[in-house]
Amino acid sequence: MVDLTAAPEILRTADGRPLKSALALAQRKAKWRAFFLVLPLLAFVVLTFIVPILKMLERSVNHDGFSSNAPTMVAWFNDHPAGADIPEDAYAALVTDLKQMQKDRTAGAAGTRINYTVPGTISVFKSAAREAEKLQPPYKDALIASNKMWGDPLVWVAMRNASSAYTSDFYMVSADLKRDANNSLVRVEDNQRIYVYLFLKTFVLSIVITVACLLLAFPIAHLLAVLPMAKSNLLMILVLLPFWTSLLVRTSSWIAILQEQGIINDLMVWIGAFSEDGRIRMIYNQTGTIIVMTHILLPFMVLPLYSVMRVIPPSYARAARSLGATSWTTFRRIYLPQTLPGIAAGSLLVFILAVGYYITPALVGGADGQLISNLISFHMNKANWSMAAALAAILLAAVLLLYWLYDRLIGIDRLKLG
Amino acid sequence: MVATSPNDAFVAFEHVQKSYDGVSLVVKDLNLSIGKGEFLTMLGPSGSGKTTCLMMLAGFETATHGRIMLDGTNINEVPPHKRGIGMVFQNYALFPHMTVGENLSFPLEVRGMGKSEREAKVKRALDMVQMYSFINRRPAQLSGGQQQRIALARALVFDPSLVLMDEPLGALDKQLREHMQFEIKHLHESLGITVVYVTHDQGEALTMSDRVAVFNDGRIQQLATPSDLYERPDNSFVAQFIGENNKLPGVIESIGDGKCTVRLETGEVIDATPVNVSEKGAKTLVSIRPERVEYKPEAMPANAHTIDAEVMEFIYMGDMFRTRLRVAGSDEFVIKSRNTLGQRMLAAGEKIKIGWAPQDARALDPM
Ligand SMILES: Nc1ncnc2c1ncn2[C@@H]1O[C@H](COP(=O)(O)OP(=O)(O)OP(=O)(O)O)[C@@H](O)[C@H]1O
Ligand SMILES: [Mg+2]
């Protein structure tokens, strides 16, 4: 960069304008043209990608089901700091709100919000709202008499936390945590810990799938890179074939191959490797998810590897051999390090796709082959938007973290995707 | 130093043939003996099989037929990494993910050499090419000439007694190339190594080599010292491939006693030395170097035949004059004369007579 300010005299064009502003003027037009050219894409990306993601992030920390339908309670919680005992006037406020909820038919919405942190409260809210008109003071005893949950401090902690629309409760639930009566975080009971386990399982399975893809793709990509063009094109078509086949067709063919009465089992029984009762189920379980997803994601590993390997000149390997290296040393010290950008790109791609994969585990995963995406979809089907959003946001954060790590370790500019 | 029989040769190709596709031979019956310490250059047009020969010697290609001997043992079955041959590739093939130092250290590491010994050898090799200060750079941070030096140092660092170079200077500009030619030659002499060098730059071949093997069409056309190659080409291909050359087609008129006369297609008779023609009436192509043609009668040998020529173009080149003539119906005949005191300058359109000593005109095969 030339520092024009340090020069003793400002450079000028022939007609006396400063060179810098003349240059800026000349470039402005080009810049605007470039901007208008990318504008449609920019608008599209903002509308279909950025906005929905921001909306999702907002939903994951915002749920006004309780706060907007229980204004009296919200006011009471604001005036009274948290304490161990819940006085009568709090119950009076609750009944006021329950009556209003009955009129507006919003007891379900409010109950749903509380239900996230204290399961089973929707029906309690609904029935209390129905009976609210008939309740007589003292409301505390009347409510507790109708359902003892109203005396449960956990319900009150939950309501206090729900009295603000903005909340971290959904992340708390996603981490298998809950609040005890003192409003401090504790882990939920063993048999209710599903999210952390599913996150871990998703990551572990994704790693297994990524490694399997890498092991399968490396020799294929190498073969593609060293074969003469005509043969490698043919092989490439075979690699890409899965891309061109409908996901459902592929999945159903895997079902035909892997099921207990499927081709592999038949073959094994026929050659005597398995007994008739010893047939192994390789689908509708974790094994099925791994096998089918490895197949589906394989091209995403082959292509980056191939694009890196294709440009490694064979003279490097020859040079190494002539310098005295065995073929194994040549592979390990010369070839492998040069394929690293491809390995990293392929692994990143496959891993990220696997972590968020939904359709295959849903179709062939059975009960224990489900991944976190299937749970997100479950929440979406139940209109538990905030819960789904929180889980998705965690997934997104994990992926971004991976990108960041990749950038630190390898450099995003060295990413070779094909 | 120059090996003549395969028995005392350091490297020997014996009846080597090579085919890639099973249909055509790329190398046809190659016989070549290289002495210890010799600098031998393989020179030839593109596709003549030079690289193929080098690759067979290095072990990356197998000979379809024949034996390749290194220091008295048959190396046909020896894998490349056990041959201990240093090699410089045309594109240098420096490992891009390693620094200069690591590149040089690599051949020593795979030989299981200790760290201190490695460092000493790497330093010595880098000093040899004046590149020690670049030890921590990556190849991508070096210029072409610098990469070339590193490639050279890497091929030499493990003290091979035979070094192969495949057009190592092909990618460099003229000045750098000449400088590197000198350095390679110097290293060859000071280290006493045997070098097999491939090029298609004849100037490079002539200035650097002890002997040059001229390849064409999978065969060695001539294997000789640079001066023999230039002054006494064995056949028309070599005559035309090396240096500038005038050719006059004709028929042998008389032959005997190491001399002959040739009648050109236009009827003139000229003097020549028969090389690979033996009988009267045979077709031949007479080859004469431009600087050996004389046009001043007093400088011509006594009773030499002269023929008529017309000056087409006269180019003043400073130290030289270059004149294009019409001779025997063709106007591609070129003569060169030194700009000495009193040298006569010719003018276009002038009619002169030219002649030469019979030993400078070689009657070769008609191609
Ligand atoms: N791997 C290969 N497979 C098939 N044919 C080959 C192969 N390598 C070389 N050839 C053929 O063998 C012939 C000789 O090639 P070679 O590389 O030895 O030529 P060269 O003399 O080194 O030429 P250049 O000066 O262009 O490098 C050529 O016709 C070439 O097409
Ligand atoms: Mg070559």
Side-chain angles (χ1 to χ4, degrees):
Chain A
M1 284 276 272
V2 178
D3 189 358
L4 286 181
T5 56
E9 204 179 338
I10 298 176
L11 289 176
R12 289 176 187 280
T13 60
D15 57 352
R17 284 180 304 149
L19 198 57
K20 260 190 173 175
S21 61
L23 185 67
L25 197 70
Q27 286 178 344
R28 191 171 308 153
K29 231 183 181 170
K31 278 185 188 158
W32 275 110
R33 190 176 305 142
F35 178 73
F36 281 120
L37 279 176
V38 298
L39 195 59
L41 179 66
L42 190 67
F44 184 76
V45 168
V46 167
L47 275 179
T48 60
F49 192 67
I50 312 267
V51 170
I53 284 184
L54 291 178
K55 190 79 199 150
M56 174 196 85
L57 289 177
E58 205 230 337
R59 280 215 165 145
S60 71
V61 293
N62 181 312
H63 193 299
D64 61 358
F66 183 81
S67 56
S68 65
N69 295 317
T72 329
M73 289 289 282
V74 170
W76 188 88
F77 281 126
N78 284 342
D79 294 343
H80 297 79
D85 264 354
I86 310 297
E88 169 66 14
D89 58 343
Y91 283 92
L94 177 60
V95 171
T96 315
D97 283 340
L98 283 170
K99 285 177 185 164
Q100 189 59 38
M101 285 178 201
Q102 181 62 14
K103 280 195 199 112
D104 301 344
R105 306 200 158 275
T106 51
T112 301
R113 170 66 185 88
I114 308 304
N115 194 67
Y116 284 121
T117 43
V118 187
T121 41
I122 300 184
S123 54
V124 178
F125 263 79
K126 281 184 176 164
S127 61
R130 265 194 309 275
E131 295 159 11
E133 284 298 343
K134 287 175 272 171
L135 288 177
Q136 297 296 324
Y139 291 121
K140 181 171 184 174
D141 296 337
L143 275 169
I144 291 175
S146 80
N147 192 321
K148 8 183 241 313
M149 275 195 98
W150 290 119
D152 186 347
L154 290 179
V155 173
W156 284 90
V157 168
M159 287 196 291
R160 178 179 287 279
N161 283 315
S163 67
S164 154
Y166 286 92
T167 173
S168 59
D169 278 1
F170 302 109
Y171 289 98
M172 175 187 84
V173 175
S174 302
D176 284 338
L177 297 174
K178 63 174 185 178
R179 288 198 168 80
D180 64 6
N182 300 321
N183 203 11
S184 48
L185 293 175
V186 291
R187 298 190 65 187
V188 299
E189 287 74 31
D190 275 349
N191 57 359
Q192 289 170 15
R193 288 176 197 165
I194 47 171
Y195 296 105
V196 172
Y197 169 71
L198 210 52
F199 269 117
L200 286 180
K201 187 161 105 178
T202 303
F203 276 80
V204 170
L205 282 195
S206 298
I207 289 171
V208 169
I209 289 163
T210 307
V211 171
C213 278
L214 182 61
L215 292 181
L216 289 174
F218 200 94
I220 300 174
H222 178 72
L223 199 61
L224 279 171
V226 298
L227 275 183
M229 217 42 175
K231 282 184 193 147
S232 78
N233 278 346
L234 192 74
L235 197 61
M236 186 59 111
I237 290 176
L238 293 182
V239 170
L240 293 180
L241 211 54
F243 267 149
W244 302 332
T245 321
S246 146
L247 197 71
L248 286 173
V249 172
R250 273 186 281 167
T251 307
S252 47
S253 58
W254 277 115
I255 293 172
I257 292 170
L258 296 176
Q259 66 186 345
E260 262 164 287
Q261 303 303 321
I263 295 168
I264 290 185
N265 272 305
D266 284 349
L267 200 68
M268 286 305 191
V269 170
W270 184 68
I271 65 170
F274 297 171
S275 70
E276 189 58 46
D277 315 324
R279 285 172 179 265
I280 295 178
R281 194 154 95 181
M282 290 175 284
I283 199 136
Y284 304 125
N285 55 19
Q286 209 159 296
T287 319
T289 301
I290 293 175
I291 293 176
V292 179
M293 275 179 67
T294 300
H295 174 235
I296 286 171
L297 296 177
L298 197 59
F300 295 97
M301 187 67 91
V302 173
L303 291 179
L305 276 178
Y306 168 67
S307 82
V308 168
M309 288 175 174
R310 202 186 33 186
V311 296
I312 300 177
S315 61
Y316 289 136
R318 290 186 160 181
R321 297 301 305 276
S322 82
L323 292 171
T326 59
S327 40
W328 168 241
T329 309
T330 304
F331 172 77
R332 196 172 49 85
R333 301 268 321 264
I334 307 300
Y335 195 69
L336 198 60
Q338 292 188 64
T339 60
L340 268 188
I343 293 179
S347 303
L348 189 73
L349 203 59
V350 168
F351 184 82
I352 286 174
L353 285 171
V355 157
Y357 228 74
Y358 157 72
I359 183 84
T360 303
L363 289 173
V364 302
D368 70 341
Q370 301 291 309
L371 303 182
I372 196 73
S373 309
N374 303 99
L375 198 61
I376 295 178
S377 132
F378 166 84
H379 280 300
M380 275 160 52
N381 290 337
K382 298 239 152 163
N384 292 341
W385 298 112
S386 293
M387 205 52 229
L391 292 172
I394 292 175
L395 208 53
L396 182 67
V399 167
L400 290 179
L401 184 76
L402 260 178
Y403 266 118
W404 178 78
L405 266 180
Y406 183 93
D407 192 33
R408 286 294 304 274
L409 296 180
I410 296 175
I412 219 81
D413 48 335
R414 289 187 62 193
L415 196 64
K416 273 256 195 159
L417 292 181
Chain B
M1 194 150 96
V2 172
T4 42
S5 87
N7 298 328
D8 59 338
F10 184 53
V11 178
F13 288 85
E14 296 175 6
H15 302 290
V16 171
Q17 295 183 316
K18 172 71 185 175
S19 172
Y20 283 107
D21 50 10
V23 179
S24 60
L25 282 175
V26 167
V27 174
K28 300 166 185 162
D29 195 33
L30 179 77
N31 289 289
L32 176 60
S33 302
I34 304 168
K36 203 166 176 64
E38 187 175 3
F39 195 118
L40 183 124
T41 299
M42 296 179 172
L43 175 69
S46 195
S48 55
K50 309 179 295 287
T51 300
T52 305
C53 287
L54 215 59
M55 288 301 160
M56 286 192 288
L57 186 49
F60 299 124
E61 296 290 351
T62 48
T64 314
H65 174 82
R67 288 199 305 175
I68 300 174
M69 311 286 287
L70 176 63
D71 210 3
T73 49
N74 183 345
I75 53 168
N76 280 19
E77 305 299 327
V78 179
H81 67 277
K82 293 206 177 127
R83 296 192 181 190
I85 298 175
M87 184 142 189
V88 181
F89 291 80
Q90 180 167 9
N91 59 1
Y92 317 135
L94 295 176
F95 306 134
H97 57 293
M98 296 184 182
T99 64
V100 165
E102 288 163 349
N103 262 285
L104 264 76
S105 187
F106 182 78
L108 307 177
E109 273 170 53
V110 299
R111 284 175 170 72
M113 205 173 273
K115 191 161 188 289
S116 56
E117 198 181 349
R118 281 202 316 256
E119 279 167 3
K121 287 209 172 219
V122 168
K123 176 162 172 18
R124 205 192 60 196
L126 283 175
D127 282 340
M128 211 157 61
V129 292
Q130 294 107 45
M131 291 287 290
Y132 187 67
S133 54
F134 293 86
I135 188 163
N136 288 319
R137 295 251 196 122
R138 299 226 170 212
Q141 298 166 319
L142 300 176
S143 75
Q146 291 167 339
Q147 291 185 29
Q148 173 56 52
R149 281 157 197 254
I150 301 302
L152 197 60
R154 190 180 64 177
L156 295 172
V157 70
F158 59 96
D159 300 322
S161 48
L162 175 62
V163 177
L164 314 181
M165 306 190 190
D166 191 358
E167 302 194 33
L169 308 180
L172 304 183
D173 64 48
K174 187 168 178 295
Q175 211 173 350
L176 196 54
R177 198 157 67 212
E178 278 165 9
H179 183 72
M180 286 304 297
Q181 285 171 7
F182 172 78
E183 285 200 13
I184 291 176
K185 190 67 195 151
H186 179 76
L187 281 173
H188 164 247
E189 275 158 13
S190 61
L191 299 177
I193 47 175
T194 309
V195 176
V196 180
Y197 192 96
V198 165
T199 181
H200 50 224
D201 179 335
Q202 42 158 308
E204 201 164 288
L206 295 182
T207 51
M208 296 177 79
S209 323
D210 294 326
R211 282 193 305 164
V212 179
V214 179
F215 275 66
N216 188 38
D217 192 25
R219 284 183 202 283
I220 295 184
Q221 303 292 329
Q222 187 169 0
L223 173 63
T225 60
S227 61
D228 273 355
L229 211 55
Y230 187 81
E231 285 166 31
R232 284 176 286 283
D234 274 353
N235 57 40
S236 300
F237 176 81
V238 176
Q240 279 170 56
F241 193 72
I242 310 280
E244 212 174 358
N245 180 55
N246 292 304
K247 37 187 198 290
L248 295 168
V251 175
I252 303 287
E253 172 103 342
S254 70
I255 186 163
D257 200 15
K259 283 186 187 172
C260 66
T261 54
V262 175
R263 182 171 294 279
L264 303 182
E265 282 160 0
T266 45
E268 293 102 328
V269 173
I270 57 170
D271 297 314
T273 305
V275 178
N276 47 10
V277 285
S278 50
E279 62 198 61
K280 197 167 169 251
K283 283 190 158 201
T284 183
L285 195 67
V286 179
S287 146
I288 312 138
R289 297 288 179 201
E291 66 275 14
R292 295 292 171 91
V293 179
E294 200 47 72
Y295 58 91
K296 287 176 301 197
E298 65 275 16
M300 278 182 227
N303 59 43
H305 284 96
T306 58
I307 69 175
D308 293 326
E310 182 187 346
V311 178
M312 305 301 294
E313 192 179 14
F314 179 82
I315 302 169
Y316 180 87
M317 293 169 70
D319 57 339
M320 300 280 290
F321 303 146
R322 184 186 162 88
T323 318
R324 194 159 59 79
L325 304 173
R326 172 188 289 273
V327 172
S330 152
D331 43 11
E332 296 296 327
F333 199 97
V334 170
I335 64 176
K336 286 187 199 159
S337 35
R338 286 204 305 135
N339 186 1
T340 50
L341 192 66
Q343 179 70 288
R344 190 158 77 88
M345 294 200 200
L346 298 168
E350 203 173 324
K351 296 223 165 33
I352 54 171
K353 282 193 178 298
I354 55 169
W356 46 78
Q359 61 269 31
D360 285 334
R362 295 172 69 80
L364 304 170
D365 52 307
M367 296 225 4

